[in-house]
Amino acid sequence: GFLDRFGTPVFHTRIEFVPERSGFTPLETGLHSTGLDWTHNKHSTQHTTTHAIGIPDLAFEVSGRCSGPGFGPVRAISGVQIKSLDRAVEYFEDRAKAAVRRRGRGEWKVDVEMGVQEAEDGAFVLEVGTLAPGAAVGQAYSGVRNFVVRVGRKVEGEWRRDAVVVNSHLDSAPASYGASDAMSMCAVMLEVFKNILARDPDMKRDVVFLFNGAEEIILLGSHAFVSQHPWAKHVKVLINLESAGVGHKSVMLWCGPHRQLGMARIFQRYAPYPHASSAVQDIFENGFVPADTDHRIFRTFAGIPGFDFANYMNGYRYHTFMDNIEGVGLGFLQQNGENTHALIEALTGKDSDENWEALFAPENDTPAHIFDVLGLFVVVYSQKVGFVVHGLVLLLGAVQMLFSMPTLASIIVYQASCLTAGLLGLVLFLLVSALTAVVISAGFGLPMLWIGRHWLVIPLYCSPATAATLFYLFYATRALQRYKAIRCDGARPLEVALDVYARLAGLLLAATWH
């Protein structure tokens, strides 16, 4: 492995799932309390297994319960170790083979094929406009190793032409334990693979599990797969499991970019624990985050649309020695396991023909607005619908202003005054926050004091900035009340503040109307 060549020991995670009875199993997690409904399957058996995952300087064990098709609830913790990234690849291969052996001989509906891809020399150029306009990074590699498993149905000894790939990576950043990024995701993939074997479903399409061996050094493993592996030409949809933080829960970073509306509707219909926002994708698409995932390789070099999931909380632990088991919450594993299993079922199971047809329908190959409401359900609508809905909101706002003011002149003066006051209030808020940061950092020698204690943001930054802004708005209201052309007599500072920021929100809506 990459780290091994420099003499850095690489350790591994051990995750144990203990099957229990089927039925309704309550689960208390760090995210929420939920019930999981396991379905009986005649091929399901009670057994205990262990998963090893390559993680630098880390060992831990998670015990859980699962029977049949679900992703089992996860409960406990402890550890073992492994000496190299290569050994991690071999261990995954051993555990996958053990899962196949455990189901025994018989007439199974699911075929399995697996192997280690020893990639040949490869190279590619990746544009990185976030660093500088027109900037690019050239990558050349040799000896990349991926562990690849395919599950589905062979026809006359040949794999079918449609497949879904589920991808995560075995390597981790130097000096990081890599528990969240991304060994926990590899554990999720292995457990989902085992559940498919236990259920032995009648799969209409195949699933490829790609445990790639080189992501952190700029996406080499995924490029080796899409450019060299024979199964890559069968892949039509990607499910990428990543990490941009430690623990908590995953959000959908990307959906598409092609077939975006179709993919969003599949996520809306099937994901049991959804977390998504179009704003997140906008942030990544416009380069505000100088980072990439394997999703970039699949969409750029293979034209494969996909789902890209990653957690984002506790960023101060990301890519550091603090990315350890203490940060990987059980709810994090549970959410990713349930959502991954559900999406695979939607794209390969009994409803997959309908979903596949909808996914690749021309009318669904369009941008979409998507967001979840408190993780309970997902709202999805097309860009065309959004154009109409957002336009109506702006129109209603304009009508309200026309009926609330006596003359056109008063409307213009009032709007201009409120917007000016609001913008100055925002500037003041930012200036006070920045000044507070300077005082804490330079004056007291405590830079980024909040990073491990997020609650400190409120008393240290938000409180003084909010107080200063309200104080300013109070005097802004008094100033506005002196002008007869503006009907704000008797208005309180809070009323003016709400009016001001409602109009700023309207400007933002207008700016993103398209």
Side-chain angles (χ1 to χ4, degrees):
F2 178 77
L3 295 177
D4 237 16
R5 296 176 186 174
F6 294 89
T8 304
V10 182
F11 294 82
H12 89 282
T13 304
R14 182 179 171 193
I15 296 192
E16 183 174 332
F17 293 90
V18 184
E20 210 173 64
R21 63 178 178 81
S22 295
F24 186 77
T25 309
L27 170 65
E28 296 290 337
T29 71
L31 299 178
H32 46 257
S33 175
T34 182
L36 302 177
D37 187 13
W38 311 123
T39 306
H40 287 279
N41 186 290
K42 64 179 180 180
H43 298 299
S44 299
T45 55
Q46 304 272 327
H47 56 268
T48 301
T49 58
T50 332
H51 308 334
I53 297 116
I55 295 182
D57 277 331
L58 174 71
F60 72 88
E61 177 181 292
V62 178
S63 299
R65 302 168 292 172
C66 115
S67 73
F71 181 84
V74 191
R75 327 186 257 189
I77 296 179
S78 117
V80 282
Q81 62 175 267
I82 195 170
K83 292 296 182 184
S84 75
L85 190 58
D86 286 342
R87 176 78 185 279
V89 173
E90 294 165 5
Y91 198 98
F92 269 106
E93 184 178 23
D94 290 343
R95 300 323 302 160
K97 288 180 177 177
V100 174
R101 288 194 302 269
R102 190 160 40 246
R103 71 175 185 168
R105 298 180 179 275
E107 293 295 326
W108 301 102
K109 290 180 283 187
V110 170
D111 297 315
V112 180
E113 185 177 339
M114 65 185 71
V116 177
Q117 178 193 8
E118 303 279 356
E120 300 175 357
D121 294 353
F124 61 94
V125 175
L126 203 62
E127 294 183 4
V128 285
T130 53
L131 300 179
V137 172
Q139 286 283 85
Y141 58 86
S142 177
V144 170
R145 303 181 76 216
N146 298 323
F147 174 52
V148 192
V149 183
R150 185 162 183 166
V151 184
R153 170 62 70 187
K154 287 185 176 181
V155 179
E156 297 180 354
E158 298 291 332
W159 289 109
R160 292 174 295 194
R161 295 299 177 183
D162 290 340
V164 177
V165 64
V166 185
N167 171 78
S168 194
H169 60 93
L170 296 169
D171 62 334
S172 61
S176 172
Y177 293 137
S180 187
D181 182 26
M183 297 304 110
S184 52
M185 296 300 196
C186 293
V188 166
M189 289 169 56
L190 188 56
E191 186 63 18
V192 170
F193 164 69
K194 289 177 54 189
N195 285 330
I196 292 175
L197 293 188
R199 292 177 56 212
D200 192 36
D202 186 8
M203 299 177 67
K204 296 184 177 182
R205 288 165 180 81
D206 304 336
V207 182
V208 177
F209 293 94
L210 172 59
F211 300 83
N212 88 65
E215 188 269 351
E216 297 292 356
I217 44 179
I218 313 189
L219 318 176
L220 304 184
S222 54
H223 186 270
F225 176 79
V226 300
S227 63
Q228 300 182 27
H229 202 285
W231 291 345
K233 63 180 180 290
H234 299 162
V235 173
K236 303 298 189 296
V237 180
L238 164 72
I239 300 173
N240 188 54
L241 304 179
E242 249 299 352
S243 177
V246 176
H248 200 254
K249 61 181 177 181
S250 290
V251 66
M252 187 166 67
L253 300 179
W254 281 84
C255 176
H258 313 298
R259 315 290 172 187
Q260 189 177 96
L261 181 59
M263 300 191 74
R265 284 176 173 164
I266 289 176
F267 181 78
Q268 175 190 37
R269 180 177 178 185
Y270 290 97
Y273 305 120
H275 187 29
S277 172
S278 297
V280 176
Q281 180 156 335
D282 288 341
I283 289 171
F284 274 85
E285 282 183 338
N286 289 284
F288 293 114
V289 177
D292 265 317
T293 71
D294 288 314
H295 188 276
R296 171 79 179 273
I297 297 295
F298 280 90
R299 70 177 187 265
T300 302
F301 294 98
I304 298 172
F307 304 95
D308 194 13
F309 299 101
N311 58 333
Y312 56 94
M313 294 295 288
N314 302 316
Y316 67 96
R317 304 176 74 159
Y318 175 61
H319 278 188
T320 72
F321 67 92
M322 289 185 285
D323 183 5
N324 51 30
I325 182 55
E326 285 77 14
V328 180
L330 305 184
F332 170 68
L333 295 172
Q334 190 71 32
Q335 182 216 15
N336 283 283
E338 293 285 350
N339 286 348
T340 302
H341 192 279
L343 290 175
I344 290 175
E345 177 68 21
L347 293 168
T348 66
K350 61 182 181 179
D351 297 331
S352 62
D353 286 341
E354 175 187 346
N355 292 331
W356 213 262
E357 182 179 354
L359 177 61
F360 290 95
E363 63 269 20
N364 286 331
D365 189 10
T366 182
H369 297 272
I370 177 172
F371 58 91
D372 72 281
V373 179
L374 301 177
L376 301 175
F377 60 90
V378 177
V379 177
V380 174
Y381 51 94
S382 69
Q383 189 179 62
K384 292 180 179 178
V385 173
F387 187 87
V388 174
V389 172
H390 300 171
L392 286 174
V393 173
L394 291 173
L395 180 61
L396 290 173
V399 170
Q400 184 272 333
M401 286 188 291
L402 287 173
F403 283 95
S404 64
M405 298 289 175
T407 65
L408 180 61
S410 63
I411 293 174
I412 295 173
V413 173
Y414 182 71
Q415 297 305 314
S417 301
C418 283
L419 289 175
T420 301
L423 290 172
L424 290 175
L426 286 177
V427 170
L428 180 63
F429 187 95
L430 295 174
L431 285 176
V432 172
S433 298
L435 180 61
T436 305
V438 170
V439 171
I440 293 174
S441 300
F444 295 94
L446 298 171
M448 300 183 75
L449 181 64
W450 57 271
I451 197 164
R453 311 165 186 85
H454 292 166
W455 59 271
L456 284 177
V457 171
I458 296 175
L460 291 181
Y461 299 95
C462 293
S463 295
T466 301
T469 303
L470 289 176
F471 184 75
Y472 155 76
L473 287 174
F474 174 78
Y475 281 97
T477 305
R478 297 286 296 272
L480 288 174
Q481 287 173 342
R482 296 192 185 122
Y483 295 94
K484 295 181 179 180
I486 301 175
R487 286 181 51 186
C488 61
D489 294 334
R492 298 178 182 179
L494 182 58
E495 294 172 353
V496 173
L498 291 176
D499 205 15
V500 164
Y501 293 112
R503 279 155 177 72
L504 288 176
L507 279 183
L508 180 61
L509 180 61
T512 59
W513 188 13
H514 68 286

